[in-house]
Amino acid sequence: MAERDDDELSIPRASLNKFIKELAPNVRVANDARELILSCCTEFIHLLSSEANELCNKQMKKTISPEHVLGALDSLGFGAYKDEAQAVLQEAKAVATSKRRKKSKLEHLGIPEEELLRQQQELFAQARIEMAHMQQQEWQQMQQQLQQQQLQQQATDQATNANEDDNDYN
């Protein structure tokens, strides 16, 4: 059962393979080396999160914050990576902020959601009316073409009958 818990708490293999391809695109990595990298990544994340949790508990907090993680890097001897981790944090915050801005654009329009929905329904209704009108026009055009074809066929039939009648008298 312990192996099963470890599998559940590891990085997805597809993500690991993507990392490896991005970092070393022209290098082949053996499967046992991939497993070792996966184990090391999992262990590092476990160590870092445990240390961050201890720092969080010492401060009597219930939520691990980025500051706890950065502090854990220092206390585990990975202080050299602190600047890069902060840069990644800032980038992640920027992405999250831009996603929130995109999401809240509708809120900044100053039009209530109910009004937007009503306008949308009105546009749909108008589009249905226009579509029905276009279909009716197409139907009428088809009917006119059919009538013209029938008239032409009648004229052709009458001309053919007239020629046959003329041939009968001759």
Side-chain angles (χ1 to χ4, degrees), residues 78-148:
F78 294 105
Y81 295 101
K82 196 171 176 179
D83 289 339
E84 191 172 339
Q86 286 176 323
V88 170
L89 174 62
Q90 293 306 317
E91 183 181 330
K93 284 181 178 182
V95 169
T97 301
S98 70
K99 283 183 181 180
R100 270 187 260 129
R101 281 190 192 135
K102 288 178 184 177
K103 185 179 177 183
S104 66
K105 279 185 180 180
L106 285 177
E107 295 169 4
H108 294 302
L109 285 176
I111 302 172
E113 189 174 342
E114 295 81 18
E115 175 63 18
L116 289 172
L117 184 60
R118 187 196 61 75
Q119 289 177 3
Q120 182 184 39
Q121 294 301 324
E122 195 175 291
L123 288 170
F124 285 153
Q126 187 178 10
R128 281 193 287 278
I129 290 169
E130 289 176 14
M131 182 67 118
H133 182 68
M134 287 174 45
Q135 288 175 342
Q136 184 180 11
Q137 286 179 336
E138 288 176 8
W139 173 255
Q140 288 173 347
Q141 287 176 349
M142 288 174 39
Q143 290 294 327
Q144 288 174 349
Q145 289 174 350
L146 184 60
Q147 287 175 349
Q148 287 175 352

Side-chain angles (χ1 to χ4, degrees), residues 1-163:
M1 177 133 173
E3 288 180 301
R4 188 171 190 202
D5 288 340
D6 287 343
D7 285 343
E8 290 176 9
L9 298 176
S10 72
I11 297 171
R13 293 192 196 304
S15 297
L16 177 71
N17 291 335
K18 184 178 176 185
F19 290 144
I20 291 171
K21 280 185 181 180
E22 286 176 5
L23 296 174
N26 299 324
V27 176
R28 290 186 61 201
V29 179
N31 285 337
D32 54 347
R34 287 178 192 268
E35 288 298 319
L36 179 60
I37 293 170
L38 183 64
S39 295
C40 289
C41 289
T42 302
E43 184 60 28
F44 176 75
I45 292 169
H46 181 74
L47 265 172
L48 187 62
S49 60
S50 294
E51 185 65 25
N53 188 44
E54 283 183 31
L55 291 174
C56 181
N57 287 337
K58 284 179 185 176
Q59 295 178 0
M60 301 176 84
K61 303 281 184 177
K62 292 184 179 182
T63 303
I64 297 174
S65 70
E67 290 75 25
H68 296 130
V69 175
L70 294 172
L73 283 173
D74 271 338
S75 64
L76 290 172
F78 294 105
Y81 295 101
K82 196 171 176 179
D83 289 339
E84 191 172 339
Q86 286 176 323
V88 170
L89 174 62
Q90 293 306 317
E91 183 181 330
K93 284 181 178 182
V95 169
T97 301
S98 70
K99 283 183 181 180
R100 270 187 260 129
R101 281 190 192 135
K102 288 178 184 177
K103 185 179 177 183
S104 66
K105 279 185 180 180
L106 285 177
E107 295 169 4
H108 294 302
L109 285 176
I111 302 172
E113 189 174 342
E114 295 81 18
E115 175 63 18
L116 289 172
L117 184 60
R118 187 196 61 75
Q119 289 177 3
Q120 182 184 39
Q121 294 301 324
E122 195 175 291
L123 288 170
F124 285 153
Q126 187 178 10
R128 281 193 287 278
I129 290 169
E130 289 176 14
M131 182 67 118
H133 182 68
M134 287 174 45
Q135 288 175 342
Q136 184 180 11
Q137 286 179 336
E138 288 176 8
W139 173 255
Q140 288 173 347
Q141 287 176 349
M142 288 174 39
Q143 290 294 327
Q144 288 174 349
Q145 289 174 350
L146 184 60
Q147 287 175 349
Q148 287 175 352
Q149 288 175 353
Q150 288 173 345
L151 289 174
Q152 288 175 351
Q153 185 64 39
Q154 287 176 355
T156 304
D157 289 347
Q158 287 176 354
T160 303
N161 288 340
N163 284 340

